[in-house]
Amino acid sequence: MGILDKILKKKEEEKESSVEFTVGEIHLKHVPVKRDPDAKIEEYWIETLDVSEDAYWVLVGRRHGVFQLYDWAGNLHRLPSKPPAQSVTDIVFRGKYLGIVAPPYLVIYYLENPKDPKTWKSVRISQEGLRPTGGLDIRKGTLAFGVVGEKVYVIDLTGDLTQTTVDFKSTFIYRDAEIGDLRAIKILPNGKLFLSGTQGSGVFSIGGNLLRKIPYAGGRAVALYEDKVYIADNEKQKIAVYDSTLDRVEGEIDLVHRVGRIDVSPDGGYLFTADEEENRLGIYNLKENTFLDFVEGYGYSVVRVAPDGSVYTSRYEDTEGKRYYYLEKFETNLIDFVYPKERQKQIIKNAQNIYKEFKKYISEAKREEELERVKPLEELESINVPLKEVRSLILKAREELSRRKLEVFINTLREKLREGSFTGQDYARLKEKLEEVSEDWKEKLQELKEEAERFFDEKLREHLKKVREAITKAKVTSFTDMEGLPEVKETRKFISTLPREFSNYANEELLKTLQERIIEDRLKTFSIKLLEDKVIFGREEVEKFRPQPVRYRWHLKVEDKFVQDGKVYAKIAFEREDGLLVEPKRYNNVVEQDSVRHFPEWVGRYLKHLNGLCSTEPYRVPDFVSFEETPWFVQNLERFTSLVKEQLTYQEGILILEGDAGVGKNFLVEVFSALTNRPLFIIPCNSKMEKEDITFVYEFDPKRGTKRVYSDLVKALKTPGAVIYLDEINTLPPSLVKIFNPLFDYRRYLVLSYGEVVKARPDVILVGGMNPQNYLGVSELPQDIKSRADIMYVDYPPFEDEKGFYYPDEALILRDYVDTLAPLNKEEFTYLWYYVVNDVKTELGEKLRTPERERDVRLLFELLKIANEIRKAYRAYQTQQSEEPVEFVFSIRDTIRCARRLKKYGDAKKVVIETIIPKISSPLEKEIVRSIVERA
């Protein structure tokens, strides 16, 4: 808007506000009221309006159920829970009640605090067969209204209006009064009811008895002042005056125009009439029963004279083909006719003195509690005389109180910030204030809000610093341990006092702090140290196995007996403990059976010679195994080591590894064997195994004939330091389980045929492996074995924890197959992973991050996310928690294969679809897995 436009607009406003009229002794000054921000509202004509008894509120009801609530100064407010309606026929303010007829509802508001609409509670009354139409009044706790069917209902307002049904004081039909359609109801001072309709009027008792017919049809143009009812009859062109005390029409006044509504001045001396068709307001002198004049340009359809003498009416204006209906207000000198000038001066002076006390009180108040109830303001508000000067003082006092409250509020919060006692509740109050205050205060409160946010941030940093120091000193290694620290508890307590938007961020920061410790601890704790004489797996150490040469003893063996020349001969040979057989070459080893009891001298010398050779068996060196030293893998080795050490110490039991196929159970055993220098024997088990598979079989040797060949298990039991791994141990047939019982308990031996016993060496380790027992089609581990075993569950590398953080363990295995990540060591990759995936900002992570590495880390993350979703679906089906048949096991070998192809495809989903889907035979399972990949 330009300067000229502003000047012209200001002049138009000044011109409009300076409109004044003088009619007889009455002076009317036009006062503009604020227009509704929604210009379309004023296209709806005003159907009715009313003013509260203290002249503070004006409620306007427009077409289509639109309401406008103004205060005495012309400011717009919101009517709480306004009733849904297409029309509004009546509005009545009376005492602490506000009644509205908005067909098909009657709504009654209880004005708990008449000056604060937010406290107004409403009850909507609508029952079967009860449809309010028109006519409403309230007086001394009684409410009367008209309904469809020519009925009037009377309610006692002292009852509980919140009930589903309402008890009516009385109900009656007014048809006999012949008033036509009911338009207005007035409750007379004597308790009787005055009904005005389109054809006449009538007086009824409160119980519904017709007391008098009055031949004047006022419709809605009816006004009550003390005991007199003024009825404007447009057809007769008369204003009838009915005296309710004398019960008679005591006079008539000529009506000079057709009227819509009428009202009487507060002193009862003047009648104001709103024209039914034109913009003109008629004024009558009731003392002389004469028409005075019209106020031209104002006064269409509705009029209401407030107790403070203000006149509210309407005006229509045609603009660009549309008609607008404006609410208009005139300030008048009518109040002078009620309150003499001298009395007004005394009231105003008294109000000014109270106002001075008010100013002094609020200036000295330092605490918010002192401003909750301000006695001088309550005294000021208790002045019931509706003088504009008093109202202005009250309004000014409220504004100053509001301003002082804000000042004290700000000072209080600043003091709390200085003391360090500022809380989340204080911040919430600050935000509420920021939404409520005017623009003048927003800047100050915004500065205070920013200061509070800095305070929270600094406090959080202090707490996090203490947490870092505490977890370093305490040397804790798990979330559970860290959460138990006093510093962490104190930080949690501090976070609980923060506003929600801060507490979420603060919890994330605390979690990241704990995660940083977990990163460092997992890298430091779960590592492998290879020393000369021992190996350290995490926090468990075990001695390397140092095998001593095994010396085998020789003994004489007699075999192949035969008869020659009537004598029995036998062949003698020398057999070593491990089954090696030697025949003497320099001596004849065929002797008569009779001489077997007394061998030739050379036999003893030969046996002594053989035992003196120190016969030994070469040590079986374990195979070298390449592995990735991830915290998850080392943690499994740590648990494995702890349990096998116990087995060796107490010389009993078997350790059984339980876990999904492809999770790395066999690999775990292989790495342990290789690093501890122990030979590994893998014994595959199945449901068709026989006793001979675990003991020995007979084989035929052409030179020696039939001989015994021991099983790998028997050989392993005799091998120093052997690790015996019984794969799929749960598939052993029941007939063999009993054979293993003495091997797995404290006896540690295996019984062969014919009473032969093979005892396990004390340095032999027994391990078994199996799939989870609760999976579909998996044989449960026999109870005999279960009772003798320790069971260790081996899971896939951890991926997501309960806090929403993602572990890098499996990604550490895969990084070697991604060019940009392969050069990074374990520590570097871990910090980079946490930086990119978990947003745990560290200096090392920032240093290592490049766009290419970040891209490839995210590709690995997406790949593992898909893999883990498929693993979850597999487990859900295997444990019967899902009916979707997913039987494909996404092993670590599969993630490695996919990782090798990430560079080629550049997309994790495409890699999985191209690599994994072809492995699945079932068409249904293919579609299920494909949908899992697409959703991941």
Side-chain angles (χ1 to χ4, degrees):
M1 183 181 292
I3 295 177
L4 182 60
D5 292 333
K6 290 181 179 178
I7 294 172
L8 291 174
K9 183 178 180 183
K10 185 175 181 181
K11 286 184 177 180
E12 286 177 5
E13 290 174 352
E14 289 175 354
K15 181 180 178 182
E16 185 178 357
S17 64
S18 64
V19 174
E20 296 186 20
F21 298 91
T22 299
V23 179
E25 295 181 342
I26 304 175
H27 301 292
L28 302 98
K29 181 181 179 181
H30 180 256
V31 180
V33 296
K34 291 185 179 179
R35 299 302 180 199
D36 200 299
D38 184 358
K40 187 175 178 62
I41 294 295
E42 287 161 340
E43 293 182 27
Y44 306 138
W45 70 77
I46 297 175
E47 294 185 310
T48 184
L49 60 83
D50 197 30
V51 183
S52 60
E53 288 184 318
D54 60 358
Y56 197 89
W57 298 106
V58 180
L59 181 60
V60 178
R62 293 178 179 266
R63 182 70 171 163
H64 300 307
V66 174
F67 293 90
Q68 293 171 297
L69 181 65
Y70 291 88
D71 62 23
W72 68 274
N75 300 307
L76 266 170
H77 298 261
R78 176 179 291 182
L79 180 67
S81 60
K82 63 181 183 179
Q86 286 298 311
S87 63
V88 187
T89 62
D90 293 274
I91 296 173
V92 175
F93 274 104
R94 197 75 75 235
K96 282 203 168 188
Y97 293 99
L98 165 62
I100 300 173
V101 174
Y105 301 107
L106 165 64
V107 181
I108 304 169
Y109 291 86
Y110 177 72
L111 315 184
E112 188 173 323
N113 179 356
K115 298 298 190 294
D116 185 3
K118 295 176 185 176
T119 67
W120 299 358
K121 309 299 181 184
S122 66
V123 178
R124 192 165 62 191
I125 298 175
S126 178
Q127 296 179 5
E128 187 69 28
L130 189 154
R131 182 184 175 91
T133 55
L136 172 71
D137 200 13
I138 301 171
R139 181 184 285 269
K140 296 180 180 179
T142 299
L143 180 146
F145 64 101
V147 302
V148 171
E150 297 182 292
K151 289 183 181 180
V152 171
Y153 283 79
V154 182
I155 297 174
D156 186 354
L157 288 180
T158 59
D160 185 1
L161 298 180
T162 62
Q163 300 298 317
T164 306
T165 59
V166 176
D167 293 330
F168 296 100
K169 198 170 184 179
S170 66
T171 304
F172 63 88
I173 297 174
Y174 57 81
R175 187 177 300 116
D176 293 345
E178 299 177 339
I179 65 173
D181 294 334
L182 179 64
R183 291 290 184 266
I185 297 177
K186 299 294 179 183
I187 301 176
L188 303 175
N190 57 18
K192 297 175 184 178
L193 301 179
F194 180 91
L195 275 62
S196 175
T198 56
Q199 297 176 15
S201 303
V203 179
F204 289 80
S205 69
I206 200 76
N209 296 321
L210 177 61
L211 303 177
R212 174 179 291 279
K213 293 182 181 180
I214 300 175
Y216 292 92
R220 290 191 173 91
V222 177
L224 173 66
Y225 180 79
E226 294 182 348
D227 57 353
K228 291 179 178 163
V229 182
Y230 297 88
I231 313 157
D233 190 323
N234 285 320
E235 299 306 321
K236 293 182 178 181
Q237 296 185 333
K238 296 290 182 180
I239 299 173
V241 183
Y242 170 72
D243 190 319
S244 62
T245 302
L246 302 175
D247 191 21
R248 69 185 183 187
V249 177
E250 65 174 20
E252 292 182 339
I253 305 172
D254 291 332
L255 184 62
V256 298
H257 66 131
R258 295 185 65 84
V259 300
R261 299 288 178 100
I262 66 174
D263 202 8
V264 181
S265 63
D267 67 321
Y270 297 91
L271 181 72
F272 292 79
T273 58
D275 197 283
E276 193 174 51
E277 298 173 350
E278 303 293 334
N279 285 329
R280 57 180 181 172
L281 183 68
I283 303 178
Y284 294 79
N285 188 327
L286 295 178
K287 296 174 184 177
E288 300 176 0
N289 290 339
T290 58
F291 172 71
L292 295 178
D293 203 351
F294 285 114
V295 175
E296 297 288 347
Y298 302 88
Y300 170 69
S301 182
V302 293
V303 63
R304 186 73 172 87
V305 184
D308 65 353
S310 300
V311 178
Y312 294 92
T313 183
S314 174
R315 173 177 67 88
Y316 68 79
E317 181 179 298
D318 295 321
T319 306
E320 297 180 355
K322 289 185 178 181
R323 175 164 286 188
Y324 296 90
Y325 302 87
Y326 300 111
L327 176 70
E328 304 293 355
K329 177 183 179 181
F330 288 95
E331 290 181 350
T332 72
N333 61 335
L334 290 172
I335 194 70
D336 297 341
F337 305 149
V338 180
Y339 301 99
K341 287 285 187 181
E342 286 302 318
R343 187 182 175 192
Q344 288 185 38
K345 288 180 181 178
Q346 186 60 41
I347 293 170
I348 293 170
K349 184 178 180 181
N350 183 40
Q352 289 172 339
N353 290 334
I354 297 173
Y355 174 73
K356 288 179 182 177
E357 292 179 20
F358 164 81
K359 290 272 290 182
K360 181 181 178 183
Y361 179 87
I362 65 170
S363 65
E364 294 175 350
K366 303 299 181 184
R367 295 181 295 110
E368 292 179 83
E369 296 79 7
E370 298 176 63
L371 298 173
E372 287 302 316
R373 289 194 62 185
V374 180
K375 190 174 180 180
L377 179 59
E378 291 177 353
E379 292 176 4
L380 199 59
E381 291 177 332
S382 68
I383 300 176
N384 294 323
V385 180
L387 295 174
K388 180 181 178 181
E389 291 82 357
V390 176
R391 287 269 170 82
S392 297
L393 278 178
I394 294 172
L395 185 61
K396 187 177 179 182
R398 286 178 182 160
E399 290 174 350
E400 290 178 359
L401 177 61
S402 176
R403 185 163 51 249
R404 182 57 184 160
K405 280 183 175 180
L406 282 170
E407 290 173 353
V408 172
F409 174 76
I410 291 173
N411 292 337
T412 301
L413 294 192
R414 287 198 185 281
E415 184 62 28
K416 285 189 172 186
L417 286 170
R418 282 192 293 271
E419 295 174 350
S421 59
F422 193 89
T423 66
Q425 290 181 341
D426 296 323
Y427 184 81
R429 290 176 57 216
L430 177 57
K431 283 183 66 179
E432 288 176 9
K433 291 285 185 187
L434 195 54
E435 293 176 359
E436 296 170 358
V437 299
S438 62
E439 291 297 326
D440 299 338
W441 287 90
K442 280 191 183 297
E443 185 176 349
K444 290 183 179 179
L445 289 179
Q446 185 61 38
E447 289 177 2
L448 184 58
K449 179 172 175 281
E450 292 171 0
E451 189 177 338
E453 290 168 357
R454 288 193 296 272
F455 167 80
F456 286 142
D457 190 64
E458 290 170 5
K459 278 286 184 182
L460 177 62
R461 298 299 155 205
E462 290 175 10
H463 279 283
L464 293 179
K465 183 179 179 182
K466 291 179 181 177
V467 167
R468 290 190 188 95
E469 292 173 353
I471 58 180
T472 301
K473 291 178 182 177
K475 297 182 179 180
V476 291
T477 58
S478 68
F479 272 114
T480 304
D481 293 338
M482 284 191 276
E483 291 289 354
L485 293 173
E487 290 79 4
V488 176
K489 289 181 178 179
E490 193 64 32
T491 304
R492 290 283 187 204
K493 184 179 178 181
F494 165 72
I495 291 173
S496 69
T497 66
L498 296 178
R500 181 176 298 176
E501 57 266 45
F502 283 100
S503 62
N504 292 339
Y505 164 76
N507 275 316
E508 288 177 4
E509 289 298 303
L510 174 59
L511 193 56
K512 287 177 184 177
T513 301
L514 301 182
Q515 279 286 352
E516 285 182 41
R517 174 63 181 175
I518 291 292
I519 298 171
E520 180 183 346
D521 181 70
R522 292 185 86 230
L523 289 172
K524 183 178 178 181
T525 303
F526 299 115
S527 61
I528 299 174
K529 296 182 179 65
L530 299 175
L531 306 179
E532 184 178 350
D533 58 342
K534 62 183 177 182
V535 184
I536 301 175
F537 298 114
R539 291 160 296 193
E540 283 287 344
E541 64 178 50
V542 59
E543 292 182 0
K544 286 184 179 179
F545 185 71
R546 297 297 183 188
Q548 297 298 323
V550 179
R551 183 170 182 175
Y552 294 109
R553 302 292 299 175
W554 291 84
H555 63 267
L556 189 64
K557 184 176 183 180
V558 179
E559 57 183 17
D560 296 340
K561 295 180 181 181
F562 60 94
V563 179
Q564 185 176 349
D565 300 332
K567 294 182 179 182
V568 179
Y569 293 89
K571 184 184 292 186
I572 62 174
F574 298 93
E575 185 178 32
R576 202 166 66 178
E577 285 178 330
D578 62 349
L580 179 63
L581 198 66
V582 175
E583 293 183 2
K585 296 180 179 179
R586 295 172 56 187
Y587 301 96
N588 182 9
N589 63 334
V590 177
V591 297
E592 291 183 15
Q593 186 175 358
D594 292 341
S595 63
V596 170
R597 296 177 184 177
H598 304 284
F599 289 109
E601 290 184 8
W602 69 266
V603 172
R605 291 195 305 271
Y606 205 93
L607 188 60
K608 184 178 181 181
H609 169 73
L610 290 174
N611 283 324
L613 294 177
C614 297
S615 301
T616 59
E617 177 72 14
Y619 178 65
R620 179 173 171 175
V621 179
D623 296 331
F624 172 77
V625 180
S626 175
F627 64 94
E628 185 62 52
E629 189 183 331
T630 70
W632 158 79
F633 188 64
V634 177
Q635 196 169 5
N636 281 335
L637 281 169
E638 179 187 85
R639 288 190 298 152
F640 183 92
T641 302
S642 175
L643 292 170
V644 298
K645 281 172 65 178
E646 186 176 323
Q647 182 187 136
L648 292 172
T649 300
Y650 294 100
Q651 286 293 293
E652 62 93 16
I654 179 173
L655 171 59
I656 296 178
L657 306 179
E658 181 178 356
D660 289 336
V663 80
K665 300 187 294 293
N666 296 25
F667 187 69
L668 181 67
V669 179
E670 289 174 13
V671 172
F672 175 83
S673 299
L675 296 184
T676 57
N677 202 34
R678 289 175 175 270
L680 174 63
F681 292 83
I682 297 179
I683 313 296
C685 301
N686 58 74
S687 58
K688 296 181 180 180
M689 285 184 73
E690 296 180 354
K691 183 177 180 180
E692 288 75 14
D693 296 318
I694 62 172
T695 57
F696 61 85
V697 294
Y698 287 104
E699 290 185 359
F700 177 74
D701 187 335
K703 295 182 178 179
R704 299 177 51 204
T706 302
K707 64 176 182 176
R708 217 183 257 186
V709 179
Y710 291 103
S711 66
D712 287 345
L713 175 59
V714 173
K715 294 176 182 176
L717 292 172
K718 296 179 178 182
T719 301
V723 176
I724 303 172
Y725 182 64
L726 299 164
D727 196 11
E728 303 294 345
I729 190 172
N730 57 311
T731 62
L732 284 172
S735 60
L736 295 184
V737 172
K738 295 295 182 183
I739 297 177
F740 279 103
N741 284 348
L743 180 61
F744 296 155
D745 62 24
Y746 65 93
R747 291 171 284 185
R748 301 270 287 181
Y749 62 66
L750 191 67
V751 180
L752 307 184
S753 301
Y754 310 111
E756 185 178 354
V757 173
V758 177
K759 187 167 180 64
R761 288 179 57 90
D763 48 22
V764 167
I765 296 172
L766 298 174
V767 184
M770 62 177 292
N771 289 335
Q773 300 175 66
N774 60 331
Y775 278 15
L776 290 174
V778 175
S779 301
E780 187 176 355
L781 187 67
Q783 185 59 38
D784 283 359
I785 298 178
K786 196 182 295 186
S787 66
R788 291 166 167 79
D790 280 313
I791 297 179
M792 172 180 158
Y793 189 80
V794 182
D795 202 353
Y796 285 105
F799 183 59
E800 182 180 9
D801 69 5
E802 70 279 0
K803 304 290 186 181
F805 279 77
Y806 295 93
Y807 290 102
D809 292 74
E810 193 166 357
L812 277 166
I813 299 171
L814 306 182
R815 81 179 193 281
D816 290 335
Y817 305 96
V818 180
D819 294 341
T820 60
L821 305 176
L824 301 178
N825 61 33
K826 179 177 72 173
E827 180 182 8
E828 291 172 335
F829 179 81
T830 299
Y831 277 95
L832 177 62
W833 171 276
Y834 272 87
Y835 190 99
V836 173
V837 176
N838 294 322
D839 197 33
V840 177
K841 300 292 191 290
T842 56
E843 291 184 13
L844 181 57
E846 176 64 35
K847 180 181 178 181
L848 295 168
R849 186 173 66 94
T850 66
E852 294 79 13
R853 285 174 177 168
E854 183 170 349
R855 176 202 63 208
D856 290 339
V857 167
R858 293 195 182 281
L859 279 175
L860 286 181
F861 171 73
E862 291 299 322
L863 170 61
L864 292 174
K865 192 174 180 183
I866 294 168
N868 278 275
E869 287 302 316
I870 296 174
R871 289 166 182 169
K872 287 179 186 177
Y874 168 76
R875 287 179 174 174
Y877 177 67
Q878 293 297 325
T879 56
Q880 302 180 54
Q881 296 177 15
S882 170
E883 295 181 357
E884 292 189 335
V886 177
E887 297 182 328
F888 175 76
V889 181
F890 208 125
S891 67
I892 296 175
R893 286 186 294 271
D894 290 309
T895 55
I896 291 173
R897 189 172 288 106
C898 290
R900 291 201 301 257
R901 299 170 182 173
L902 277 175
K903 183 177 180 180
K904 175 182 177 182
Y905 290 98
D907 182 88
K909 290 183 178 180
K910 192 170 182 181
V911 167
V912 174
I913 290 173
E914 294 292 330
T915 305
I916 300 303
I917 299 296
K919 295 186 176 188
I920 302 171
S921 57
S922 165
L924 174 59
E925 187 180 352
K926 280 185 178 182
E927 290 305 313
I928 293 171
V929 173
R930 188 186 297 272
S931 67
I932 293 172
V933 174
E934 295 297 338
R935 291 196 308 265

